Amino acid sequence: MNRFFLSILFFLFVPFFTGLWAAPPPVTLDAANLAYTEGHYADAARLFRQLIAGHGYSASLCFNLANAEAKAGHPGQAMLNYERARYLAPADADIDPRVAVEDDLVE
């Protein structure tokens, strides 16, 4: 009888306690893009950096991070990430760091 109650308590409380130590939800590309479209450029840059840290570099992530950094007023970081994007996708004609950063600095 005592064993029965212990097993019930175990199955009732284990899911509760394991939920307390669960990892935070992963950062998604949708969340980063939403922050960017809502004008939260610094937050978008942070989310793109977290995506790169978790999934590795890609031309599109570096390009998106560069755009967010440029809009957030960080031209140095923007240029660095435009160059990374261009290195990863040299044939992509859309990646032109000079034009993108200059446009954002003029605005």
Side-chain angles (χ1 to χ4, degrees), residues 32-51:
N33 286 331
L34 180 64
Y36 184 88
T37 57
E38 290 181 347
H40 306 291
Y41 303 119
D43 290 336
R46 179 182 51 81
L47 294 171
F48 284 123
R49 281 193 300 272
Q50 287 178 357
L51 283 168

Side-chain angles (χ1 to χ4, degrees), residues 11-97:
F11 287 111
L12 287 176
F13 289 109
V14 166
F16 173 74
F17 288 116
T18 56
L20 293 177
W21 292 297
V27 175
T28 64
L29 184 59
D30 290 336
N33 286 331
L34 180 64
Y36 184 88
T37 57
E38 290 181 347
H40 306 291
Y41 303 119
D43 290 336
R46 179 182 51 81
L47 294 171
F48 284 123
R49 281 193 300 272
Q50 287 178 357
L51 283 168
I52 289 171
H55 300 285
Y57 287 95
S58 73
S60 62
L61 282 177
C62 288
F63 185 73
N64 290 339
L65 173 57
N67 288 334
E69 291 285 14
K71 293 283 188 181
H74 307 129
Q77 288 295 317
M79 286 296 293
L80 172 66
N81 287 293
Y82 281 125
E83 291 298 332
R84 285 177 176 160
R86 189 165 57 175
Y87 177 80
L88 293 169
D92 191 341
D94 291 333
I95 302 172
D96 189 357

